[in-house]
Amino acid sequence: LTGSYSLANFASSVVIGHWSDLYGRKPFILLGLFFSAICTLALGFVQNIWLGVATRAIIGTFNCNFALSRAAISDIVPNGRRSAAYGVMGATFAIARTLSSAIGGLTVGVFFERQFGPYMAPCLILTAPPALTFVLVLIFLQEPHTKRR
């Protein structure tokens, strides 16, 4: 499952990065967060490994937020302060990956196991962070990039 995400992310990052240069960063950050939330929730319903692989590939295709966040920092933060911002971003992504793995492992089968299988609980819980981040980005992030056409 992880490989399908990574492969799709590798294949789409350059294209989405280019589009974010043309049309702005915020729409593509929101797109990535939207697909992360929706597809993470959808993973809880998946009963077939190939649907799981496809769902993770969809997330990987649209969620290029690490690269887009770095580009947004480059657009927003003055030169002398960028390394600190990149450091905070890297630490934030690292702790998020660590906590999401722990939460996922600890919540397998906690609730809705009978109705949907053992993975509904972690998928439902781990839908919250990208959904909340989507709302916060939508409300608070000013378009950091001057669009080029």
Side-chain angles (χ1 to χ4, degrees):
L1 290 176
T2 301
S4 65
Y5 172 93
S6 299
L7 187 60
N9 194 259
F10 170 76
S12 67
S13 288
V14 172
V15 173
I16 289 180
H18 175 68
W19 288 345
S20 80
D21 283 343
L22 296 175
Y23 305 110
R25 311 268 186 240
K26 187 173 179 176
F28 293 98
I29 291 171
L30 289 170
L31 186 70
L33 291 167
F34 175 79
F35 275 99
S36 287
I38 296 301
C39 290
T40 298
L41 181 61
L43 277 171
F45 295 98
V46 167
Q47 300 294 319
N48 173 311
I49 188 66
W50 297 111
L51 284 175
V53 168
T55 303
R56 287 293 291 163
I58 292 168
I59 298 171
T61 299
F62 292 101
N63 189 358
C64 300
N65 286 351
F66 191 78
L68 294 178
S69 296
R70 289 179 62 90
I73 286 171
S74 171
D75 294 339
I76 295 171
V77 178
N79 274 341
R81 297 187 188 153
R82 285 187 191 154
S83 58
Y86 291 138
V88 169
M89 186 190 77
T92 302
F93 273 76
I95 196 73
R97 287 191 68 129
T98 302
L99 289 177
S100 65
S101 296
I103 290 168
L106 293 171
T107 60
V108 170
V110 171
F111 53 83
F112 296 133
E113 183 174 12
R114 278 175 123 171
Q115 297 92 331
F116 301 108
Y119 303 111
M120 178 51 82
C123 291
L124 190 59
I125 292 167
L126 293 172
T127 295
L132 175 61
T133 305
F134 178 92
V135 172
L136 294 173
V137 167
L138 185 65
I139 294 170
F140 295 111
L141 181 67
Q142 298 300 313
E143 179 59 57
H145 183 69
T146 304
K147 300 171 190 173
R148 292 183 239 161
R149 292 191 185 234

